Structure formats: C-alpha cells, structure tokens
Amino acid sequence: MKNIILIVVSSFFLGCTSSISREELKNLNGYWEIGQVVFPDGNTKQYKMNTNIDYIQMENLQGYRKKVQPRLNGTYETSDDAEVFLISERDGSFYVNYKTELSEWSEKLVALDADSFSVINEEGLRYEYKRFEPISIAQ
C-alpha cells in the first residue's frame, strides 16, 4: 500500500513539472492578455476584459515587453516604455529576468504553448496569459 501511494504521489509531481524546450520559447512573441492570477493560497482573480495587453518580442533569449492598447481599427496605441528582459535557464527551468531603472525581478516560466503561457513570480503569484484575439468589427 505504501508503494502505491508513493507511486501516485511521485507521478503527480512528475506530471506537474514543466518541460519547456528552448525551441518553444519563440511562442512568447506576440500579443498577450492576462486571463487570471492565482494567489499562493489558491484564490484566483479572473480578468474578463483587458484594456491593456502585453506585446512581447524576444530573440536569442533576450527581448522586451511593453503595454499596448488595442484599437477597434486593428492598430495599437503604445508608449515608448518597455521592460527589457533576459531569459536564463536554471535547474531545468527557464526564468524571465527583468531589469528597469527602478527595479529588478524574475519570473519562472511554468507553462508555454502557442496559445497560452504562465509564470510564477518571486512572491508565488501565478500569472496566466492567453494569446490576444483582436475584436473584429465588420465594416
């Protein structure tokens, strides 16, 4: 019985580990909107509508992230502000390391595919993003 419990628990933890490849990191490029935040205690905050979305551009493990506002005509309004980042690999996981004039922080990339990604910050908050789908208005 102890062996069965050990196998089940081990399988659960192995199944929860993220195995993101270096090749999959290119999926970060593009427009993203936050779907929800999961707090360390398990509570969540849902984001149904976003007026600001994130644009991420990355190449060779370095890039930038900036906030943009989508417009109904398919364009985006943005400022010149951007958060520069470097991606590093530690202990089999990828970390997005940001540095601005005011602060430095790191987020662990825990899931990534073509349509979604999630990161956990140093405070244990999990941010879950989904690929932004522009609103199409027929003319």
Side-chain angles (χ1 to χ4, degrees), residues 13-61:
F13 282 112
L14 289 175
C16 290
T17 58
S18 171
S19 58
I20 299 168
S21 72
R22 190 176 290 256
E23 178 65 25
E24 290 172 306
L25 292 174
K26 70 178 183 232
N27 287 327
L28 283 173
N29 288 323
Y31 295 93
W32 297 95
E33 64 180 321
I34 191 161
Q36 74 175 358
V37 176
V38 181
F39 296 91
D41 65 3
N43 287 321
T44 62
K45 179 177 180 181
Q46 300 287 327
Y47 290 84
K48 304 229 184 266
M49 196 70 172
N50 296 298
T51 56
N52 290 311
I53 60 172
D54 291 324
Y55 175 71
I56 298 175
Q57 181 62 47
M58 192 257 330
E59 187 174 344
N60 297 324
L61 302 180

